[in-house]
Amino acid sequence: MVDTKTQYHKIKTEVDAAVISVLESSAFIGGKVVNAFADNLAAYHGSKHCIPCANGTDALQIAMMALGLQPGDEVITPSFTYIATVEVAALLHIKPIFVEVDPKTFCIDPAVIEKAITPETKAIVPVHLYGQAANMEAIMKIAASHNLFVIEDNAQGIGNDFTFSDGTIKKTGSIGHIGCTSFYPSKNLGAYGDGGAMFTNDDELAASLRMIASHGQSKRYYHDVVGCNSRLDAIQAAILDIKLKHLDEYITARIKAADFYDKAFADTKNITIPFRDANNKHVFHQYTLQVENVDRDALHQFLADNNVPSMIYYPVPAHKQKMFDAFGGSEYYLPITDSLTQRVISLPIHSELDEEQQGFIVSKVLEFVNKF
Ligand SMILES: Cc1ncc(COP(=O)(O)O)c(C=O)c1O
């Protein structure tokens, strides 16, 4: 699905030198390299603060802790997402309230959020799924009128620009009270290991996020609140700082690959190409088709038999996962989400794809789909 090796070879000289420099410095945890990366990423992102941490899952958990969410509180979130978004709420004994996604964007549908608000609701957690932005303008309006926090799960959306109706443009992940991202290797800004970060414009929240990620320490060996241990190491920060300079070019390459697929599948019966909402850039973390009247799982197998990787993100929605039985998961009726889990299939997309590879992928998809 990705080709991190070819991508690495293009920046190998710089990356190798940066890694060796960390090894020579022996400053493996924290320090100048991590701080420099955090500053550079905050500037790119247009956020006042960037607080690096160990992974995107931790970022979401620490965000909920820093906002003071308590057991019994509720957060409104899509069920059509990677499990991390909702698992961290459950871990903190916060109740995830699953709502539908927009069938075109695959992101939380603002029209259903208000109906899900109760006196226990404390936050909305939109997910910028596959790299398309949720409608942050509508979400921020709802949050403001009900006094709710917004935590953006931007693990798949880093680098996206959201345009508000007055023309203001902001990066996804910089709009809510806290934005969270992941540097998992396949992400648009991927490390060579694990990593994550939180973003905020609020000084107090930034201090709290920083403290919680560091065992609740206000100063060394003085622990004011219960926290955790979540650090981005200096080797990953050094690598990410180099890759950050290439992030926009990686995104442009992904969009170009998506354009190629779009053109190839545009007129194919039984295939719906990804919708691109005019209010954002869609950074194509995934290129996800919807198929109809086609055995999706057989297509997935056919592609594998022909050495074409494909993935189903995600075969089971969160509300139907066993882990949410105790949270009344089986009581939800989310037909759009359920139908998407039956119909989506993601094709390889990354900065290194060439047209010959894409042509082969397209030919195999069409060979199968055109049988129906
Ligand atoms: C939407 C979403 N949220 C959260 C995460 C969690 O990130 P990580 O794997 O770095 O913990 C991921 C990535 O895996 C993701 O895709």
Side-chain angles (χ1 to χ4, degrees):
M1 295 295 284
V2 290
D3 182 0
T4 44
K5 192 166 172 181
T6 307
Q7 196 191 54
Y8 161 60
H9 278 275
K10 290 186 179 163
I11 51 172
K12 182 175 165 31
T13 316
E14 263 183 292
V15 167
D16 290 1
V19 170
I20 289 167
S21 154
V22 173
L23 298 181
E24 291 291 351
S25 77
S26 285
F28 300 118
I29 302 290
K32 272 195 231 157
V33 174
V34 179
N35 294 340
F37 168 62
D39 289 349
N40 292 336
L41 185 54
Y44 170 87
H45 213 252
S47 290
K48 193 164 174 199
H49 303 278
C50 165
I51 299 103
C53 63
N55 54 64
T57 308
D58 277 6
L60 290 157
Q61 179 184 329
I62 297 165
M64 290 183 196
M65 292 168 79
L67 291 170
L69 272 53
Q70 296 297 318
D73 286 347
E74 295 177 358
V75 295
I76 298 174
T77 170
S79 174
F80 191 53
T81 182
Y82 182 57
I83 199 68
T85 318
V86 286
E87 180 191 29
V88 294
L91 192 70
L92 297 169
H93 302 281
I94 295 160
K95 189 172 180 191
I97 302 295
F98 301 113
V99 296
E100 272 294 18
V101 288
D102 177 307
K104 288 210 282 201
T105 65
F106 308 142
C107 296
I108 193 166
D109 181 355
V112 298
I113 293 176
E114 255 172 340
K115 284 178 231 139
I117 295 174
T118 74
E120 273 63 60
T121 309
K122 293 290 171 339
I124 306 168
V125 187
V127 181
H128 303 307
L129 200 75
Y130 304 152
Q132 169 120 263
N135 185 343
M136 289 308 295
E137 182 157 12
I139 292 166
M140 293 311 289
K141 263 192 208 147
I142 297 168
S145 67
H146 294 270
N147 209 13
L148 302 175
F149 295 118
V150 175
I151 303 170
E152 294 178 74
D153 183 343
N154 199 32
Q156 301 188 6
I158 196 160
N160 197 343
D161 291 314
F162 183 87
T163 307
F164 289 80
S165 47
D166 67 357
T168 312
I169 298 176
K170 287 186 183 174
K171 288 264 179 259
T172 54
S174 73
I175 303 165
H177 298 85
I178 302 177
C180 298
T181 203
S182 161
F183 305 125
Y184 186 79
S186 61
K187 295 288 191 258
N188 288 18
L189 179 60
Y192 296 159
D194 271 315
M198 300 159 287
F199 302 86
T200 186
N201 291 318
D202 181 311
D203 296 345
E204 263 181 54
L205 261 183
S208 182
L209 291 165
R210 236 178 264 287
M211 189 159 43
I212 292 168
S214 178
H215 296 292
Q217 283 187 128
S218 51
K219 59 180 181 177
R220 204 160 206 191
Y221 304 128
Y222 289 79
H223 305 270
D224 296 2
V225 294
V226 174
C228 56
N229 174 26
S230 190
R231 301 186 284 235
L232 178 72
D233 69 67
I235 289 180
Q236 297 307 334
I239 295 163
L240 286 163
D241 208 22
I242 290 161
K243 292 187 75 179
L244 176 59
K245 290 184 234 151
H246 298 277
L247 177 57
D248 285 338
E249 145 209 331
Y250 293 159
I251 290 170
T252 303
R254 283 173 179 268
I255 294 171
K256 190 169 161 230
D259 292 345
F260 182 99
Y261 282 140
D262 273 5
K263 225 168 138 194
F265 296 128
D267 300 322
T268 311
K269 187 171 83 121
N270 298 335
I271 286 185
T272 307
I273 58 173
F275 175 72
R276 303 191 198 195
D277 207 331
N279 62 13
N280 77 105
K281 182 160 100 176
H282 201 328
V283 291
F284 284 101
H285 174 57
Q286 299 299 342
Y287 184 87
T288 305
L289 298 174
Q290 289 180 68
V291 291
E292 224 171 334
N293 307 318
V294 169
D295 184 338
R296 190 271 315 266
D297 294 339
L299 168 62
H300 180 49
Q301 188 56 51
F302 174 82
L303 293 176
D305 295 343
N306 284 279
N307 294 322
V308 174
S310 66
M311 289 292 281
I312 312 302
Y313 301 118
Y314 299 93
V316 182
H319 72 282
K320 289 198 167 159
Q321 298 285 354
K322 269 194 201 151
M323 77 158 69
F324 288 115
D325 284 355
F327 288 83
S330 59
E331 286 152 34
Y332 283 90
Y333 176 63
L334 300 173
I336 297 167
T337 295
D338 286 341
S339 137
L340 288 175
T341 58
Q342 305 293 315
R343 294 170 47 196
V344 291
I345 184 162
S346 301
L347 300 179
I349 192 155
H350 51 83
S351 55
E352 311 307 315
L353 264 184
D354 62 38
E355 293 199 352
E356 195 185 330
Q357 292 169 317
Q358 285 197 275
F360 181 72
I361 296 165
V362 166
S363 72
K364 290 295 155 194
V365 172
L366 292 180
E367 185 181 327
F368 189 87
V369 169
N370 285 338
K371 283 192 231 161
F372 288 83

